[in-house]
């Protein structure tokens, strides 16, 4: 039987397990990436493993999230990351070089390789034919140390693209449409593998827009074949030697199939407050817009920004709209400048922001109260922009620009001839903002600032768990809900301080309650922990003494992070028990160690309401060891 592309790449990297969907496997990791908001914790953990040099083919440490530098905290983190990179053999991408996923695609992504990144949008690399997976910082640290990466063998969904996009319609509209069909939890446990005639008209950056937002489907990753279009992109990046041809076998098998005719795609918008609430832009026509932001790792390629510039050429933006543009990389920025395209943006009235994540992670450019903001980003979770009552719509650069001109949500097709930018034959190559490590880093001193606190460790699992339900939440809780980013991002390197803000947006009294009761349990619905890979959403609750999270279902990365930090991820065996349980109920789980080892069901007592109920878990024997040891780092050290 033939193999699909996902199976082929995984097979080439398989360390243990079989290519059977949902079975546990381990794969070898060729490349890693980190960014500064997750990177400090990842490298603190890497340091404590005690290895003197990374064991991957290539590891890159990017600074792109925490760049506002309101005080010493961000620059101290940057300095720490730079010194760590030099010491352990990691390439350092300085602040100002661009957003990790965009830069990695341009300069390092290689078809057929595996990439593990401490950021949920690492699957952007699928646009160039990699198996690129987002994970918690600890998993990335372990991979840098040479460990294989454990995951469930994904199911593979075949997405057949036919036809061609019409003018003014773009890759962003395709992924918003797919999200509408599949929902934010539709992809859990799956890889979306693209094929069909339609892919021939999509450039690598357009493919990367689609694989980037595959993260919003909850998917393990998404991948495109490596073909002549991939080759042309690599050639234009002066990296033709990195190209190999890669596609699925003709008789490959898939778990499911979806067909999308590109010519039927219309300009779309994902409505507040979830990326899967896709509607046609025509349905929103006329809605007043206060702010437009173009950028983020989803839509900040040369093609995206050059198209925006060409549309704006000779035009002015509406006086009631503030337009912010963050180029994805220094390469994109340089090209816009050299080709005079930047002039069109400035003349139109755009505010040119730094080439970094910026507004996407709530680092400035927040919308006004009750404002409507159109963003080419990938997430529109409530409050993520920094303004709780703002309405964020996710759109393509084409829709964004048309709406900035008219001051209301506008179908860009009214603008006449479509000035889509061509893929460059040669990108401007200037790698001077990468700092390559010395061959021998042993004498490098690691520079730490006062904001960098050691990574706390959990205690070993006791015989009995007792505690109160500290919070009961609903479905689709995001890691932004658990651990808000934005203005608190500078606290990423300081867990005791950051932990004061756990669940703040949902319940401002959570921290006080958790402290008073010395930890307890959290209850959630479906798809708990979707979104960002930030392991702080497990680490900070662990620090507050959270013992277990009990939900209807989990998102993949968060589930792994909970295990890594010794919090037991339970699911209700009977979903009705979710309805019954209440905040403040006292929960007792007796003989927990034996119960975990003796099967996947755990008898639990609700002392307050006086009934017993059953929880289930999906932990394998190795993960039970991790939980018993109080986290993966404890276990790794114990074994060493
Ligand atoms: C995000 O988009 O939410 C982030 C910020 O990039 C996160 C990582 C983080 O929280 O640092 C992600 O997507 O994993
Ligand atoms: Fe940065 Fe936004 Fe991409 Fe996250 S989603 S990596 S914050 S640009």
């Amino acid at each position: 039987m033939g193999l699909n592309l996902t199976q082929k790449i995984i097979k080439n990297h398989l360390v243990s397990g079989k290519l059977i969907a949902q079975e546990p496997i381990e794969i070898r990791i060729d490349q890693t990436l980190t960014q500064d908001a997750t990177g400090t914790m990842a490298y603190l953990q890497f340091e404590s493993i005690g290895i003197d040099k990374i064991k991957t083919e290539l590891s890159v440490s990017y600074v792109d999230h925490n760049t506002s530098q309101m005080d010493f905290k961000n620059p101290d983190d940057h300095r720490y990351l730079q010194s760590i990179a030099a010491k352990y053999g990691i390439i350092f991408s300085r602040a100002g070089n661009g957003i990790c996923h965009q830069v990695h695609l341009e300069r390092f992504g290689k078809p057929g390789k595996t990439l593990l990144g401490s950021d949920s949008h690492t699957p952007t690399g699928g646009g160039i034919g990699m198996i690129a997976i987002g994970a918690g910082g600890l998993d990335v640290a372990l991979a840098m140390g040479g460990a294989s990466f454990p995951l469930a063998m994904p199911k593979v969904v075949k997405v057949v693209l036919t036809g061609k996009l019409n003018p003014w319609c773009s890759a962003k509209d395709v992924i918003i449409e797919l999200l509408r069909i599949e929902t934010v939890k539709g992809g859990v446990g799956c890889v979306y593998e693209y094929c069909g005639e339609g892919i021939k008209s999509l450039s690598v950056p357009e493919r990367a827009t689609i694989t980037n937002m595959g993260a919003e489907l909850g998917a393990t990753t998404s991948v495109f074949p490596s073909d002549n279009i991939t080759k042309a992109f690599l050639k234009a990046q002066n990296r033709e030697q990195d190209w190999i041809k890669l596609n699925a076998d003709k008789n490959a098998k898939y778990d499911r199939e979806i067909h999308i005719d590109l010519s039927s795609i219309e300009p779309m918008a994902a409505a507040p407050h979830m990326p899967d609430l896709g509607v046609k832009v025509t349905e929103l026509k006329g809605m007043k817009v206060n702010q437009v932001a173009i950028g983020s790792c989803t839509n900040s390629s040369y093609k995206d920004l050059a198209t925006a510039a060409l549309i704006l050429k000779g035009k002015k933006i509406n006086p009631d709209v503030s337009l912010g543009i963050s180029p994805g990389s220094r390469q994109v920025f340089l090209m816009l400048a050299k080709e005079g395209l930047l002039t069109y943006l400035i003349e139109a009235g755009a505010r040119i922001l730094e080439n970094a994540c910026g507004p996407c992670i709530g680092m400035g450019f927040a919308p006004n109260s009750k404002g409507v903001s159109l963003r080419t980003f990938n997430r529109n979770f409530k409050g993520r922009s920094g303004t709780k009552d703002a309405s964020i719509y996710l759109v393509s650069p084409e829709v964004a620009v048309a709406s900035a001109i008219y001051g209301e949500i506008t179908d860009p097709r009214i603008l006449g001839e479509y000035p889509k930018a061509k893929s460059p034959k040669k990108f401007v190559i200037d790698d001077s903002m990468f700092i390559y490590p010395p061959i021998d880093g042993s004498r490098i001193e690691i520079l730490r600032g006062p904001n960098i606190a050691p990574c706390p460790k959990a205690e070993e699992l006791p015989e009995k768990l007792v505690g109160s339900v500290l919070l009961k939440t609903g479905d689709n809780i995001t890691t932004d809900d658990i651990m808000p980013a934005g203005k608190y991002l500078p606290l990423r390197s300081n867990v005791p301080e950051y932990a004061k803000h756990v669940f703040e947006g949902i319940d401002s009294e959570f921290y006080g309650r958790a402290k008073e009761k010395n930890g307890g349990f959290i209850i959630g619905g479906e798809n708990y922990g979707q979104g960002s890979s930030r392991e702080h959403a497990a680490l900070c609750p662990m620090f507050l003494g959270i013992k277990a999270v009990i939900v209807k279902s989990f998102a993949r990365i968060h589930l792994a992070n909970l295990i890594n930090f010794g919090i037991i991820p339970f699911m209700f065996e009977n979903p009705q028990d979710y309805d019954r349980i209440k905040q403040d109920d006292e929960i007792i789980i007796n003989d927990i160690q034996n119960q975990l080892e003796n099967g996947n069901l755990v008898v639990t007592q609700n002392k307050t309401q006086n009934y017993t109920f059953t929880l289930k878990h999906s932990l394998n024997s190795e993960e039970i060891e991790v939980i018993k040891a109080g986290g993966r780092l404890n276990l790794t050290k114990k074994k060493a």
Side-chain angles (χ1 to χ4, degrees), residues 367-385:
N368 58 280
S369 294
K370 298 204 168 66
V372 170
S373 177
L374 263 53
R375 301 177 160 214
T376 67
F377 308 168
N378 47 38
R379 289 186 174 140
N380 57 349
F381 304 147
K382 198 174 176 139
R384 182 175 157 103
S385 67

Side-chain angles (χ1 to χ4, degrees), residues 21-41:
Q22 288 167 308
E23 292 283 307
I25 56 166
E26 293 199 8
I27 56 170
R28 187 168 38 79
I29 297 299
D30 301 321
Q31 301 187 348
T32 64
L33 71 77
T34 56
Q35 39 89 339
D36 52 322
T38 54
T40 46
M41 274 303 143

Side-chain angles (χ1 to χ4, degrees), residues 113-125:
K113 296 281 181 187
T114 52
L115 166 68
L116 195 71
S118 64
D119 191 283
S120 63
H121 290 102
T122 304
T124 312

Side-chain angles (χ1 to χ4, degrees), residues 35-39 65 100-101 118-121 135 216 297 357 360-361 378-379 381 384 479-480 483 485 489 492 498 531-536 557:
Q35 39 89 339
D36 52 322
T38 54
H65 281 64
C100 55
H101 309 301
S118 64
D119 191 283
S120 63
H121 290 102
E216 275 53 66
C297 55
C357 300
C360 178
I361 190 57
N378 47 38
R379 289 186 174 140
F381 304 147
R384 182 175 157 103
T479 45
D480 279 79
M483 238 16 284
L489 271 173
R492 281 293 177 88
Y498 198 23
S532 152
S533 69
R534 61 191 71 152
E535 60 191 356
H536 299 78
I557 307 178

Side-chain angles (χ1 to χ4, degrees), residues 469-473 503 506-507 510 513 521-524 583:
V469 171
L470 292 175
L471 185 71
K472 182 173 174 182
T473 65
F503 280 119
I506 293 185
D507 179 349
F510 180 86
R513 205 156 55 239
F521 297 87
I522 295 185
I523 307 297
Q583 188 172 309

